Amino acid sequence: MTRATSRRSTFRTKLYLACSGLSLLVALAACGGEAGTETAPVAPAPTTSAAPQPGVPPVPDDATTTKYIAALKRIDPDIVGDKDDRTMVNRGRDQCTSIAEAPDDTARLIKLTNQRFTSPEHPDGFGTAKATKILAAVREYICP
């Protein structure tokens, strides 16, 4: 590297640093206000829980959940098996979404009931007769 090249490189570096420093000062000045004036901190927007989705009912109270689980066990104890109440309620709530989308499409609702309510002994659901009873229990206890 020649001496002239070295000087140009040093000059460019100094110029770059000076411009960067000046830019930083301008940015800081633009962000600040007048001396002695404080801006109030902005409060965060209030958080709200997700709005309920159409067709998805709220989680039922304990008494309703107990009645719903009992109704499913009366249809076939294997529907509930060793699943917890929350799982069974959520399956019912999912079924309510399908009911809201197509309340008169019984064949589709029975198919979806057989897909949602399964067990190791009934991996394809409990059949049309029991699925119809499960659907009735869901409508009675879970769907509004």
Side-chain angles (χ1 to χ4, degrees), residues 44-123:
T47 57
T48 57
S49 60
Q53 296 175 343
V56 179
V59 175
D61 60 31
D62 290 342
T64 304
T65 297
T66 300
K67 292 175 186 174
Y68 169 65
I69 298 299
L72 294 177
K73 286 180 178 178
R74 280 192 303 275
I75 297 166
D76 188 324
D78 196 37
I79 295 169
V80 176
D82 62 354
K83 298 174 201 85
D84 63 7
D85 292 355
R86 182 177 176 176
T87 298
M88 298 312 300
V89 165
N90 285 337
R91 288 183 184 177
R93 292 174 71 219
D94 289 343
Q95 191 67 21
C96 291
T97 304
S98 299
I99 292 169
E101 291 171 356
D104 299 323
D105 192 349
T106 305
R108 179 174 180 259
L109 294 174
I110 295 300
K111 178 182 175 187
L112 291 171
T113 301
N114 275 318
Q115 290 174 353
R116 286 189 175 114
F117 294 84
T118 60
S119 73
E121 292 76 29
H122 300 91

